[in-house]
Amino acid sequence: FFHADDGIRDCLLSRGLGDVYKRQLDDSLNLSLNQIRDLLSKMTSSEIAHALESSPPRQRDLLFSLLKTEEEGDVLFELGEEIQQDLISNISNEELSEAVKELELDEIVDILQNLPEERMKNILSNMSMVDRQRIEMGLTFPENTAGGLLNTDVISVRPSNSIKEVISYLRDLGKLPDNTDKIFVVNDQNEYLGELSISEIITSNPSMRVNEIMETEISPISADLHDKEVATLFERNDLISSSVINENGKLIGRITIDDVVDVIREDADQNLLGMAGVAEDTFAPPGRAAKSRVFWLSMNLVTAFIAASTINIFQDVIDKIVYLAILMPIVASMGGVAATQTLTIVLRGLTLEQINSSNIRWLFKRELAVSILNGIVLSILVGLITYGWFKDLTIALLISCALVINLISSVIAGILVPLILRKFKQDPAIGGSVVVTTVTDVVGFFSFLGLATIYLV
């Protein structure tokens, strides 16, 4: 029995299982394994994956064990990499081979490529020669390239075929692969020549030849193109599918919109988690979660000591004027928030490939103007509050000046730091916030306490 307090009751109900199942569950605080299995049978693979991701490890393992083998492959593909590998580690090679055999090539590759090499070889050895060759071809491409996304379920025809022959061929296939909005045209050497939309096939005269109506201006995607660039091409050109060619120009597969959506979602997740220096399953065990976070917490500790050492330089002036210790966090905090705002704008522009060498200067000037305007408004506000609080005009003027200086530094840090990190092949989403916060803390403390040293001591 599975007690409702464990959370799975609400998780299953949240997937829209209907009033019948709600009444069934509300009548009892416990769910038998048969009841859970019955509920799972009414859910799609993506809904089951969501339920697994929304469950702590013990309940997750139990839920997955209740699935049929033929359901496991689809569910595994829908899961994040960490949870996926945890569940795979608990099933045999034979079961995994059976679970993934009906998946598309890119889905199988996504699941297998993260396994230890020895286990991957054992699983491949349990497959047919045809399937093994297909998967081995997919595994030759890096995960984050077009080759890692492609499916081999392409339909191709020759330019000399008539539309009547093409229609007959498509009918003989019985069922078209999912997301088929076009077929591809190749020569006898399987070299890509162009594409032919399904709508064009349906509306054209059956006696016409493929080479008379095929589209030759649309470029295929190279197998080594980065997956983020693939996503950009799909977004800009409103593509549903696109051909993929190797270095010799031969058609080796196609990419469909569902694969690109997965890339976009994963990239968004990484950027969101990276901003906080976190990369873990929501319900990861404490030890694993601590391990994934400790590095950036340690880095932040180092930067905190750097900021503290800046304050220590001005220990004498702080001892004489205690007001400074009360006010200096205001300057640092405002700079940190402003830097994070600029950093977020830059990260978004870099992710969408909107920022380049031709417009970065304009963006810098715009952000600088924003910081100056905000600095003037906020410095007046902070100065008035400080004067009303401490009745000291000099301190009010000093904190106002320090605030303007720090807001300007926040723009410089927010723009330059992510650009520098990217230049050195580092992810600016992960390290950017730590660096810019350090810069604004140091500049804020140094400017405020430095000015105080000059004019008050």
Side-chain angles (χ1 to χ4, degrees):
F1 291 91
F2 212 179
H3 196 274
D5 288 346
D6 285 328
I8 194 60
R9 174 177 176 271
D10 292 336
C11 179
L12 293 176
L13 288 176
S14 71
R15 305 312 297 159
L17 299 177
D19 293 337
V20 174
Y21 300 104
K22 277 191 176 182
R23 288 196 298 270
Q24 178 184 3
L25 294 177
D26 287 338
D27 288 341
S28 173
L29 287 177
N30 296 300
L31 296 176
S32 70
L33 295 182
N34 286 334
Q35 287 175 308
I36 296 173
R37 189 178 287 111
D38 184 51
L39 290 172
L40 292 173
S41 69
K42 309 299 183 184
M43 299 167 67
T44 65
S45 58
S46 60
E47 290 174 334
I48 296 173
H50 179 82
L52 292 173
E53 291 176 335
S54 303
S55 304
R58 185 172 66 86
Q59 290 87 336
R60 181 184 296 158
D61 291 340
L62 177 57
L63 275 178
F64 190 75
S65 69
L66 297 177
L67 297 177
K68 298 177 182 178
T69 302
E70 57 269 24
E71 298 173 327
E72 291 177 352
D74 288 322
V75 173
L76 284 171
F77 174 69
E78 297 286 347
L79 293 169
E81 183 178 318
E82 185 177 352
I83 298 175
Q84 181 189 94
Q85 295 306 310
D86 278 347
L87 294 174
I88 286 176
S89 66
N90 296 325
I91 61 179
S92 66
N93 292 341
E94 292 74 18
E95 182 179 352
L96 183 57
S97 299
E98 185 68 21
V100 303
K101 70 177 185 179
E102 297 299 327
L103 298 181
E104 295 180 353
L105 173 63
D106 65 314
E107 297 174 344
I108 299 175
V109 170
D110 280 344
I111 292 173
L112 298 187
Q113 63 190 354
N114 295 312
L115 297 179
E117 186 173 352
E118 190 62 34
R119 188 176 189 193
M120 186 192 302
K121 290 180 179 178
N122 289 334
I123 293 171
L124 290 175
S125 67
N126 292 326
M127 298 181 175
S128 66
M129 178 66 73
V130 174
D131 288 340
R132 185 161 63 249
Q133 289 177 342
R134 288 175 56 245
I135 295 170
E136 287 175 344
M137 186 272 289
L139 289 170
T140 60
F141 299 106
E143 178 183 4
N144 59 348
T145 63
L149 296 175
L150 67 82
N151 295 314
T152 55
D153 57 355
V154 292
I155 301 175
S156 60
V157 295
R158 300 289 186 269
S160 59
N161 291 136
S162 68
I163 299 302
K164 181 178 180 180
E165 290 173 330
V166 172
I167 293 175
S168 177
Y169 172 55
L170 295 178
R171 285 175 176 168
D172 290 340
L173 291 177
K175 181 182 178 182
L176 299 181
D178 292 340
N179 296 310
T180 298
D181 64 319
K182 64 187 69 168
I183 61 176
F184 306 106
V185 185
V186 297
N187 60 19
D188 293 338
Q189 288 75 45
N190 201 43
E191 295 173 335
Y192 174 87
L193 299 177
E195 61 183 43
L196 190 59
S197 69
I198 297 297
S199 61
E200 197 74 30
I201 294 172
I202 295 172
T203 58
S204 296
N205 189 318
S207 63
M208 296 183 71
R209 298 288 174 184
V210 168
N211 59 7
E212 296 181 71
I213 62 172
M214 72 180 191
E215 178 62 64
T216 58
E217 306 243 339
I218 299 178
S219 300
I221 292 176
S222 175
D224 59 2
L225 189 69
H226 198 283
D227 59 4
K228 292 183 181 179
E229 296 181 59
V230 173
T232 300
L233 286 174
F234 268 69
E235 186 257 330
R236 288 178 180 172
N237 299 303
D238 295 325
L239 299 177
I240 296 175
S241 66
S242 180
S243 57
V244 180
I245 59 172
N246 62 16
E247 67 276 7
N248 299 316
K250 294 187 177 181
L251 181 67
I252 58 174
R254 69 179 185 132
I255 295 174
T256 53
I257 186 64
D258 56 324
D259 303 315
V260 174
V261 169
D262 290 335
V263 171
I264 296 171
R265 184 186 63 185
E266 290 170 7
D267 188 44
D269 286 343
Q270 290 173 0
N271 285 338
L272 177 63
L273 293 173
M275 288 288 288
V278 175
E280 66 194 49
D281 161 27
T282 304
F283 296 98
R288 184 187 302 170
K291 183 179 179 181
S292 71
R293 300 184 196 182
V294 70
F295 174 76
W296 286 108
L297 285 173
S298 300
M299 290 298 296
N300 191 67
L301 182 62
V302 172
T303 61
F305 274 109
I306 294 173
S309 64
T310 303
I311 298 173
N312 187 60
I313 296 173
F314 302 98
Q315 182 177 351
D316 291 340
V317 71
I318 294 175
D319 289 340
K320 295 177 181 177
I321 307 173
V322 181
Y323 295 163
L324 301 179
I326 300 173
L327 295 171
M328 64 186 186
I330 297 174
V331 180
S333 176
M334 293 297 293
V337 173
T340 301
Q341 291 175 336
T342 301
L343 177 66
T344 303
I345 294 295
V346 174
L347 288 177
R348 180 178 180 274
L350 291 174
T351 301
L352 298 177
E353 298 184 359
Q354 296 173 340
I355 295 177
N356 51 55
S357 57
S358 66
N359 57 29
I360 187 64
R361 187 185 298 273
W362 186 95
L363 179 63
F364 179 82
K365 291 179 180 178
R366 195 283 300 269
E367 288 296 304
L368 187 61
V370 170
S371 70
I372 292 173
L373 290 173
N374 284 338
I376 292 172
V377 173
L378 294 172
S379 64
I380 293 173
L381 179 62
V382 170
L384 291 174
I385 294 174
T386 302
Y387 180 74
W389 191 355
F390 298 108
K391 300 296 189 267
D392 190 320
L393 181 60
T394 304
I395 290 181
L397 292 174
L398 291 180
I399 194 173
S400 297
C401 293
L403 185 59
V404 173
I405 292 172
N406 205 22
L407 287 179
I408 292 174
S409 74
S410 71
V411 171
I412 298 173
I415 291 181
L416 292 185
V417 167
L419 294 178
I420 293 172
L421 289 175
R422 172 164 284 201
K423 185 176 181 63
F424 286 98
K425 310 297 183 183
Q426 300 298 313
D427 188 350
I430 295 178
S433 59
V434 174
V435 178
V436 299
T437 301
T438 302
V439 171
T440 54
D441 282 351
V442 170
V443 172
F445 293 143
F446 195 88
S447 60
F448 182 47
L449 297 177
L451 290 171
T453 302
I454 295 172
Y455 292 101
L456 295 179
V457 178

